[in-house]
Amino acid sequence: MSEQRKLGDIGFAGDDDVVPFEVAALDVRGRVVQLGPMLDQILSRHDYPEPVARLVAEACLVTVLLGTSLKFEGKFILQTRTDGPVDMVVADFATPTSLRAYARFDAEKLVAAVAAGEATPGKLLGNGVLALTIDQGEHTQRYQGVVPLDGTDLQEAAKTYFRQSEQIPTDVRLSVGKIVLPGNGGSHEHWRAGGLLAQFLPKAAERTRVPDLPGGDDPFAAPQEIADAAWQELLALVATVEHEELLDPKVGSERLLYRLFNEHGVRVFEGTPVEDRCSCSEDRIRGILEGFTAEEITDSTEEGVIRVNCEFCSKAYLFEPSEFSAQA
Ligand SMILES: [Zn+2]
């Protein structure tokens, strides 16, 4: 397939395919994705309460939008650590195509938050941090960017990350929902999500400079958007994207790009498919257990076996405690 595809060929990038695009006239590059069956598999397997599933889906979107930009073999990891009912969300993308995710939450606090009408994504996370990590193997430095979460959702936090860590003007839109699709034995609800990331990358760096605030450098002032006309046009166009449109399979990634940017000329490039695949293995878990003391092995043994469930994919691994008895 040629590197540059034509937007007239609607339908070449379907679900679970991250599509890079460029709007040269606006100096904008980005990626767009609709997650369908793959996301539905991940969320159905975990069977989280709906508000938790939504957070995990948002984390998956951010992770594939950023992770598929890795130029080398490696891993992109998103992790939240917060004090809300959902105190941890982890999603990681391993090149070339593997995504996995899970969340940890307090069921009682979650029920209370929903009952109190305090179940927005930002409130469910609470206060803490969002860490984004790029790990490209043992021979390269691990890179980590950390941004605060203080009642903000992942969409806002991702924008803050780019502004602070990379100084690239970035717009991010995330949308999560359920749609009813016909299937065996009647219609069923399926999870879907759509995400769009757009970045302003002009050749002249001064075009990305944030205007000086009147009255000096107030570190607590709200961050300003840059005034450049091309970037303002991009923001205005992205603001017209409706929540449902972003995840609607009848719209799809290309049709959305066409609708938004056709007037300015938009090119799309070869997409990256993403799959629901976990990297856990018996060998890897055995390696962890081999580091346990005899006491820890005893503590981990129930009814004569050590049972380890992968938190990401729920797969169960069983071991004989005697395998690890040399530790004593
Ligand atoms: Zn697993």
Side-chain angles (χ1 to χ4, degrees):
M1 204 180 284
S2 70
E3 197 192 313
Q4 187 187 335
R5 298 184 293 184
K6 275 223 193 102
L7 265 180
D9 311 335
I10 296 293
F12 57 70
D15 287 343
D16 306 336
D17 196 14
V18 182
V19 180
F21 66 90
E22 181 181 25
V23 187
L26 298 179
D27 291 303
V28 165
R29 268 184 267 158
R31 283 182 292 283
V32 63
V33 69
Q34 287 196 344
L35 297 179
M38 174 266 246
L39 178 72
D40 196 48
Q41 270 177 45
I42 291 177
L43 296 178
S44 305
R45 190 187 302 124
H46 286 298
D47 200 20
Y48 293 130
E50 192 162 320
V52 179
R54 283 179 184 277
L55 273 177
V56 174
E58 288 187 356
C60 287
L61 282 173
V62 174
T63 301
V64 299
L65 286 171
L66 300 184
T68 53
S69 71
L70 290 180
K71 300 276 186 297
F72 309 100
E73 200 174 297
K75 220 174 208 197
F76 177 89
I77 305 149
L78 174 154
Q79 180 167 10
T80 65
R81 273 161 301 187
T82 50
D83 64 1
V86 184
D87 68 344
M88 187 163 76
V89 180
V90 188
D92 75 46
F93 176 81
T95 56
T97 59
S98 305
L99 178 74
R100 58 183 193 165
Y102 78 95
R104 194 173 67 190
F105 64 99
D106 183 315
E108 273 177 38
K109 282 193 198 169
L110 181 71
V111 169
V114 172
E118 305 264 290
T120 60
K123 288 203 167 130
L124 289 181
L125 291 169
N127 295 307
V129 293
L130 167 68
L132 301 174
T133 307
I134 295 168
D135 188 346
Q136 299 198 300
E138 48 192 294
H139 303 298
T140 54
Q141 194 129 27
R142 211 173 143 98
Y143 168 80
Q144 187 171 69
V146 178
V147 288
L149 284 167
D150 45 9
T152 42
D153 58 16
L154 292 178
Q155 178 174 300
E156 285 310 309
K159 283 194 239 182
T160 305
Y161 164 76
F162 279 105
R163 194 154 45 216
Q164 289 181 355
S165 302
E166 309 211 343
Q167 268 113 47
I168 302 173
T170 302
D171 201 10
V172 181
R173 286 289 302 273
L174 308 175
S175 177
V176 177
K178 279 174 159 179
I179 59 163
V180 176
L181 294 174
N184 292 336
S187 296
H188 294 279
E189 278 194 316
H190 294 272
W191 284 103
R192 286 189 69 80
L196 183 147
L197 172 106
Q199 302 196 298
F200 186 45
L201 299 158
K203 287 202 184 70
E206 64 268 19
R207 288 178 62 199
T208 65
R209 206 163 287 153
V210 173
D212 283 336
L213 293 171
D217 303 319
D218 177 0
F220 298 104
Q224 297 252 104
E225 274 299 349
I226 57 164
D228 188 277
W231 182 242
Q232 287 296 327
E233 170 75 2
L234 179 282
L235 292 176
L237 288 168
V238 172
T240 68
V241 178
E242 285 172 31
H243 178 82
E244 291 75 21
E245 187 183 19
L246 197 51
L247 53 79
D248 187 344
K250 292 196 290 295
V251 176
S253 296
E254 296 100 351
R255 217 181 286 259
L256 179 70
L257 290 175
Y258 188 81
R259 209 274 280 154
L260 286 176
F261 303 123
N262 183 44
E263 200 180 307
H264 298 280
V266 51
R267 292 201 303 162
V268 290
F269 302 92
E270 188 79 19
T272 304
V274 287
E275 297 172 278
D276 162 30
R277 184 180 293 159
C278 189
S279 55
C280 65
S281 72
E282 190 170 321
D283 279 354
R284 198 167 298 182
I285 294 169
R286 180 177 285 112
I288 295 167
L289 292 172
E290 278 166 356
F292 276 27
T293 63
E295 194 187 346
E296 285 168 329
I297 288 295
T298 306
D299 288 346
S300 308
T301 305
E302 266 179 55
E303 295 172 4
V305 292
I306 300 170
R307 185 187 172 91
V308 179
N309 286 307
C310 174
E311 287 178 292
F312 283 99
C313 69
S314 309
K315 188 168 176 186
Y317 293 91
L318 298 175
F319 298 90
E320 289 282 329
S322 59
E323 275 192 72
F324 309 100
S325 55
Q327 298 289 321

